[in-house]
Amino acid sequence: MKKLTRIKKINGHEYIYEVTYFYDKKTKRTKQKSKYLGKNVDGKPVRIREQAKHPQKAYDLGAFLPYLSVIDDMQLGDLLEEDLTVQESRMVIVIALAGLMNPDAMYNIGSWYNGTILSRYYPLLHLTTAGITRLLKKIGESDISRRFCTRFVNNLEVTDAFLSDIALDITNNLHHGTIDLLNGNGSGQPKNRISLVVDKEEGVPVMYLQRTDPITDTQTIKKQLTEISGVGIENVTLVMDGSFFSTMNFYDLIFGATPFIVPVSTRSSIVSQVVEECSIDMMHPKKMVMYQNESLFVQPIILSSAQAPIKGYLYYYPQQGDTMQQRFSDDLARIIKKLDKLRVYAWMNPHETIREVAGDLEPFLSWEEKDGELRVKQKNKVISRHTKHFGKFVLLYAGKDFEWDECLARYREKSEDEQILSRLTKNIDIYPQTVNSEKIRQGVLFTSFLALLLRRKVNRILIQSGLANIYSYERLFLELESIRLIELANQKSMVSALTGKQKEILSTLKISPDIV
C-alpha cells in the first residue's frame, strides 16, 4: 500500500491528512482512505485538541481548602480591606497561610505562592521581601491590628471570652521545647508577651493586647479587662501561667468576682499538703478518666482558708510520670558514672567539679574524697521526695464551677497557642534588622495572630463535624495534601482524582474542590 500526505485548506486553515492507496478486490479498482493527522503548523501536523488536554502545571490545592472556606465564611478579606488595599489584604492572608502550611516558605514566599492554589485564588501578588517588609511596617506603625480586632469582635458578637497570658520568643528562633504543665512555665526565657482573648462560643482568638512583662498582679489585669470591655466583651475568664501564682492575687480575683484558671506546682506550699493526702489513693479505678485517647486520674481538691475556699483539680498522668522518671534516672546514672572514681588532682576543687558536671542534679548526689578519688552516690530520700511529683499537676479555679475536662482543655489550649504563636513569629529573623525592626515585629505578630485564628477555627469545625474523632489535625491535612489542581494547555483546569477518604472529608466539611 502506498502512503502519502496531503494538505487540505478548509475555511482558510490548512490541515494535513495521510492518504493510503489500496486495491479493492471486489471492485477491482484502486481506492484511497484518508486519516487526519493534524493542523499544519510549520509544515508539521499538530493535533490542537489533544495538545490542549496535556497538563501544563499543577497547583497544591487540597490542604488549602478548609482554610479558604473559613476565610470566606468569616469575611476576613472584607475586614482587612477596610484598612488595607485589596492587594495588601490578600498579601496578609497569604503570609498567614504560609506560616501555617510551611513556615520555611517565608524565605522564598514568591516561589511557594506560585506553586499553590493561592496564585489563582489571589492572583498577581508581588511577594518580594522588600514588599512584605513595607507591608508589615505599615501594619506595625498603625493601629490596623486594633481596628481589625474590634470589627472582628463586633462581627462575632462576642460577650464571653477567655483571657490567656501568652509568652513568646519573637526576637530569636523558637526553642521547640514543650510547655511544662507541672509548673505552668515554658522552657527558655521568653522576651515578649501578649494577652490573647479567645471567644468562648467559637473557640477562636478574637483580639490580643501586647505587653513586655508577665502578669504578676491584679492591677494589670484590671486595666486589660477595662480595655476588653471597651469592645463589648464583659464576661472574661482568666487562664494564667505559674508566674501569676500568689495567695494575694488569688483572693483579689475571688473577691473581685473575676473567674480564673491557674496552674500551681504540686511542690507549692499552698497545695503540697492536699496533694500529699490525695496521692495515697490517687490511682483508684473510680478516679480514672479518658481525655483525648489518654488515660489519667483526676481528683477534685479544695484549699480551705479563713478567707474563702479555692477549688481545683489534681491531675496525674501515669505515662508522663513514667517517662519523666526514666529520663531522670538515666541522667542521674550517667552523671554518677562520669564522676564516681574520678581522680582528684591537687589543683582540682571537687565541689566545683561536681557542680559543673552534675548541674541541676547536684542536690541529688552525695560525695566524698577517698584515696585520691571521688566516691559519688545518689540521695535516695531526696530523690524519692522529688520524683513523687512526676506526672502530677494542679489547676485551681474560681468564679465558675468548671469541670475537670474544661479546666484541662482551656489550659492545654493556652499552651498550644503559646507554641503555635512562637513558631509563627520566629520568621522575624528573615527581615533586615533596621530602625523599623520593632514596627516589622508588630506586623509579624498580627499575621501570626491571623494564622492562629484560622487554625483554631478549622480545628473547631473538625471537632464539631466529628472528623477529629477519626483524624488528628496533622493527619487530616496529610490526607488532603495530594489533591492538585491541574492546569491544561487550553487554559482549562481540572482537579486530580480524589481518594475515598478525601471525598469523605470534603463531603463532611461541605467543601467543593472546584473553587477556581
Side-chain angles (χ1 to χ4, degrees), residues 58 69 79 150 202 212 227 240 245 251 274 300 316 333 344 376 389 407 416 421 452:
S69 176
L79 293 174
T150 300
E202 293 291 331
T212 55
E227 187 173 351
M240 312 305 291
F245 168 72
Y251 288 116
V274 175
Y316 174 49
V344 178
V376 181
H389 295 279
C407 281
E416 290 169 2
L421 282 172
L452 177 63

Side-chain angles (χ1 to χ4, degrees), residues 224-437:
Q224 295 198 335
L225 292 178
T226 301
E227 187 173 351
I228 294 170
S229 66
V231 298
I233 305 176
E234 297 295 338
N235 303 316
V236 178
T237 299
L238 306 178
V239 184
M240 312 305 291
D241 65 14
S243 61
F244 179 75
F245 168 72
S246 78
T247 304
M248 183 176 68
N249 285 343
F250 279 6
Y251 288 116
D252 278 351
L253 294 180
I254 291 173
F255 295 134
T258 304
F260 66 80
I261 299 172
V262 180
V264 179
S265 170
T266 54
R267 297 179 177 86
S268 171
S269 59
I270 194 173
V271 298
S272 58
Q273 183 177 349
V274 175
V275 170
E276 189 76 25
E277 294 170 356
C278 293
S279 296
I280 297 174
D281 62 343
M282 189 68 203
M283 296 188 68
H284 193 284
K286 290 184 178 180
K287 297 178 182 179
M288 189 177 75
V289 295
M290 294 296 295
Y291 183 78
Q292 295 182 352
N293 298 322
E294 288 184 284
S295 61
L296 69 153
F297 296 86
V298 180
Q299 172 68 49
I301 61 175
I302 297 179
L303 305 181
S304 300
S305 169
Q307 295 174 306
I310 302 176
K311 296 181 180 180
Y313 295 100
L314 170 63
Y315 300 86
Y316 174 49
Y317 277 89
Q319 301 92 331
Q320 185 187 59
D322 292 344
T323 301
M324 296 174 68
Q325 175 74 57
Q326 186 63 50
R327 188 183 301 124
F328 177 83
S329 299
D330 291 345
D331 291 344
L332 196 62
R334 185 172 62 254
I335 295 299
I336 293 175
K337 183 178 180 181
K338 189 172 184 178
L339 290 173
D340 193 38
K341 296 184 180 181
L342 180 68
R343 186 72 180 174
V344 178
Y345 298 96
W347 50 266
M348 289 176 60
N349 183 332
H351 185 73
E352 288 295 329
T353 300
I354 290 177
R355 181 181 299 172
E356 289 177 2
V357 175
D360 294 338
L361 296 180
E362 182 194 1
F364 305 103
L365 301 176
S366 63
W367 63 275
E368 63 177 347
E369 186 179 348
K370 187 176 181 180
D371 299 331
E373 294 181 339
L374 286 177
R375 294 290 189 264
V376 181
K377 297 180 181 180
Q378 63 184 31
K379 298 179 180 178
N380 292 325
K381 290 184 178 180
V382 176
I383 291 173
S384 178
R385 287 196 297 268
H386 178 71
T387 58
K388 70 181 180 180
H389 295 279
F390 286 174
K392 298 175 185 176
F393 61 96
V394 171
L395 294 177
L396 300 180
Y397 67 89
K400 295 181 181 179
D401 288 329
F402 293 105
E403 296 295 330
W404 68 267
D405 52 345
E406 186 175 6
C407 281
L408 184 57
R410 296 306 170 194
Y411 192 75
R412 276 196 169 185
E413 285 179 4
K414 172 198 173 309
S415 299
E416 290 169 2
D417 290 345
E418 200 164 54
Q419 291 180 358
I420 294 169
L421 282 172
S422 293
R423 185 175 69 247
L424 291 168
T425 52
K426 75 171 184 176
N427 289 320
I428 186 67
D429 286 349
I430 72 174
Y431 302 106
Q433 299 298 304
T434 67
V435 293
N436 296 314
S437 294

